Amino acid sequence: MDSEPLFVVSLLVKILTVTAIASILVRWNAVKRTLLREERTLNQRLLFGLWLGGIFALGVVVRVALDYRAADLSLEGALVAGLLGGYVSGALAGLLIGLPAFANHEILALPLMIGVGALGGFLRDVAPEPEDVWRFSPFFDLSIYRWFRHRRRGPSAAYQMLLLVACFSLEFLRMLLGHLFGVKKLFYLYPHWPDPGWFMVLAVLVTTVACVALPLKVWNNTRNEVKLEEQNRLLMQARLDALSRQINPHFLFNTLNSVSSLIRSDQEKARLLVFKLSTILRRLLQKHDNFTPLRDELEFIDDYLSIEVVRFGNKLRIVKEIEEPALDALVPSMMLQPVLENSIKHGLGPKVEGGTIYLRAACADGRLTLTIEDDGMGIPAEIMANIYERGIGVSNVRERLTVLFGPQYRMTIDSQAGRGTRVEIEIPELSDTLSPVGAAPQSAKSPGFKGSLVSEPGRPVRS
């Protein structure tokens, strides 16, 4: 016969045990995915019932084999399985939980646990909202206080009281059946010394409530973390999409301005410009990924430079120095074009004799370094002071890099008036597993691309 302190310790061990079980289970990705589903197929419900039933059945086995009563969480486990998984999961978990006790000649355990699991399924069905099941708290005193304190008692508050009453009633029912038929027919925790007092009986009931509510709280915290991560991911994706939509109209607007200026002076060039623009727009409409292999990005750059060469003619020269390993590295889509456009428009455009743009890419120590350098007019010091606040191109690239890489990227802009500008971007090297390793770069020229050549890896070719 346990003394009062040992009995209280047994109740505390029960609470600690169920918390540990909940914390361990949620580390499994399969369990985490299951907990995130509100609607499950029959197979998923059966699997969920097997998981919970098997875990809590082990506690019954420990209690039967070692006579360690604090390990038995049979009623709580069956009820939780029903609350989260429905009738099928609850009844199956109750069956598995009751079998070890039934094998120990506790003949009332099996029907009682199956019934508790099914009742948990019923309580799940009558919930006003699916989230109300997860809101059940071990601090039931607050629920009682709010229930009597506030005059407006909505369905959710009533449901919390229903769960609390159900936990108390089921534990009391188990005590009553155990008292009527004896502990050999049904195991239950109860202070067996003479006149234990109402406080110890209430402690057993409170422990049952805690052992049902704590797994729900632990698992709900994980659900909320996963949901928050998913919301952050969707928010980031929406932000990237907005930035992409911002840069594409900017590029389109500038190109259409060029077309309009050529329509009267050189209709053939205007026609060629529209043709190349349609090729670029077709590519943009077909591409929805945030990342693309550098070799594909360079193909897009070739198409873009074809348009600029039509406008500038032989005044524009391009030199590419691309290391072969860098071709398969992933880069943010449409990252290079805004920087190149700034170099052409603001750096080389004002120069009567034109100029040269150098495009370099190299990988080293797990980092990819991209450099765009021109020998144009440079950026005045007063503009360099707030370069990221002017225009769309550079600020857009920087913001996209911040969203994608956080503090793991570096972007520097160095410029000297009259001598040119150098933009260097360093990002983590992300491999493109879909591209054939060592594949040769694509063809250098597009139709009408007269002003630049794509170099072979490591061998710059000057026009």
Side-chain angles (χ1 to χ4, degrees):
M1 183 180 297
D2 288 341
S3 63
E4 183 172 349
L6 288 178
F7 186 78
V8 173
V9 168
S10 297
L11 297 181
L12 292 176
V13 170
K14 276 193 67 172
I15 295 175
L16 293 175
T17 301
V18 77
T19 305
I21 291 173
S23 300
I24 292 172
L25 282 177
V26 83
R27 295 178 184 273
W28 293 354
N29 288 330
V31 174
K32 191 181 298 186
R33 288 193 298 269
T34 303
L35 291 174
L36 286 171
R37 298 188 186 103
E38 290 299 338
E39 300 295 332
R40 303 180 181 91
T41 65
L42 178 60
N43 288 338
Q44 289 169 344
R45 283 179 281 172
L46 290 172
L47 187 60
F48 189 61
L50 286 173
W51 280 340
L52 292 185
I55 292 295
F56 288 105
L58 288 177
V60 180
V61 171
V62 171
R63 191 262 303 172
V64 171
L66 304 179
D67 194 26
Y68 189 67
R69 295 182 294 170
D72 193 305
L73 293 158
S74 52
L75 184 142
E76 295 88 345
L79 184 58
V80 168
L83 284 172
L84 299 183
Y87 294 99
V88 174
S89 298
L92 178 58
L95 174 64
L96 294 176
I97 292 169
L99 282 176
F102 186 80
N104 194 42
H105 307 293
E106 299 169 15
I107 58 175
L108 294 179
L110 191 60
L112 178 62
M113 294 307 136
I114 294 175
V116 169
L119 179 62
F122 170 76
L123 292 173
R124 173 184 172 84
D125 281 353
V126 299
E129 299 290 339
E131 288 297 316
D132 286 333
V133 174
W134 296 101
R135 296 192 184 104
F136 186 51
S137 171
F139 304 106
F140 60 88
D141 54 322
L142 296 178
S143 299
I144 296 175
Y145 171 78
R146 290 166 183 159
W147 172 260
F148 288 102
R149 176 69 177 83
H150 298 92
R151 294 182 178 179
R152 295 182 180 180
R153 302 162 186 160
S156 294
Y159 182 73
Q160 300 304 313
M161 291 298 296
L162 175 62
L163 289 181
L164 178 62
V165 171
C167 291
F168 280 158
S169 301
L170 289 173
E171 186 58 56
F172 182 77
L173 175 63
R174 180 163 68 164
M175 289 182 181
L176 180 61
L177 293 175
H179 180 72
L180 293 176
F181 295 96
V183 72
K184 291 185 178 181
K185 302 295 184 183
L186 178 65
F187 166 79
Y188 67 104
L189 271 178
Y190 187 81
H192 293 290
W193 57 86
D195 192 21
W198 65 268
F199 177 79
M200 295 307 299
V201 176
L202 181 61
V204 176
L205 299 177
V206 170
T207 301
T208 300
V209 173
C211 290
V212 171
L214 281 173
L216 298 178
K217 281 299 176 187
V218 172
W219 294 337
N220 192 38
N221 286 339
T222 301
R223 291 174 70 251
N224 290 336
E225 290 174 3
V226 173
K227 287 180 177 180
L228 184 60
E229 290 175 0
E230 179 65 13
Q231 289 174 355
N232 288 337
R233 187 191 67 80
L234 293 175
L235 180 62
M236 181 182 296
Q237 184 62 50
R239 188 177 173 187
L240 288 171
D241 291 343
L243 289 170
S244 296
R245 286 193 292 269
Q246 182 188 55
I247 200 67
N248 291 344
H250 177 254
F251 161 71
L252 179 61
F253 177 78
N254 289 340
T255 305
L256 289 177
N257 276 344
S258 300
V259 172
S260 65
S261 65
L262 288 171
I263 286 177
R264 292 184 179 179
S265 61
D266 194 332
Q267 295 184 0
E268 182 60 25
K269 276 190 177 182
R271 185 195 66 78
L272 183 59
L273 211 62
V274 171
F275 172 77
K276 292 183 177 299
L277 178 60
S278 67
T279 302
I280 290 179
L281 292 179
R282 188 179 301 111
R283 181 185 293 240
L284 290 174
L285 291 173
Q286 293 173 350
K287 197 167 189 63
H288 304 285
D289 297 331
N290 290 323
F291 289 91
T292 185
L294 181 59
R295 66 173 70 251
D296 293 347
E297 187 73 0
L298 292 176
E299 288 182 9
F300 172 79
I301 292 302
D302 283 348
D303 291 336
Y304 166 71
L305 292 175
S306 297
I307 292 178
E308 298 298 342
V309 167
V310 170
R311 294 173 56 202
F312 288 91
N314 292 327
K315 290 174 57 178
L316 177 61
R317 296 178 295 276
I318 308 295
V319 176
K320 293 185 180 180
E321 301 173 7
I322 312 297
E323 292 185 359
E324 186 170 356
L327 290 171
D328 292 322
L330 296 178
V331 297
S333 301
M334 286 286 289
M335 180 182 69
L336 299 178
Q337 185 272 332
V339 181
L340 285 168
E341 183 176 357
N342 279 347
S343 292
I344 295 171
K345 181 178 179 181
H346 302 293
L348 304 182
K351 291 184 65 173
V352 176
E353 70 276 18
T356 304
I357 292 179
Y358 300 88
L359 177 59
R360 305 183 181 97
C363 292
D365 300 325
R367 308 283 291 179
L368 172 66
T369 303
L370 300 166
T371 305
I372 300 97
E373 185 175 0
D374 66 69
D375 56 3
M377 301 298 294
I379 304 174
E382 61 273 15
I383 296 180
M384 276 294 295
N386 57 353
I387 185 66
Y388 293 112
E389 299 175 7
R390 292 174 173 265
I392 294 175
V394 173
S395 61
N396 182 287
V397 171
R398 187 191 189 197
E399 188 169 356
R400 289 179 66 202
L401 290 172
T402 302
V403 172
L404 290 169
F405 299 107
Q408 299 181 15
Y409 84 95
R410 181 176 62 87
M411 181 176 180
T412 58
I413 302 178
D414 297 320
S415 184
Q416 296 182 13
R419 301 187 62 180
T421 302
R422 174 189 174 95
V423 178
E424 186 171 282
I425 299 172
E426 184 181 295
I427 60 176
E429 182 183 355
L430 306 176
S431 298
D432 178 23
T433 57
L434 298 180
S435 294
V437 177
Q442 297 296 322
S443 175
K445 289 191 176 183
S446 302
F449 188 12
K450 301 176 181 178
S452 67
L453 290 172
V454 177
S455 67
E456 294 183 4
R459 295 175 54 192
V461 178
R462 296 178 183 270
S463 60

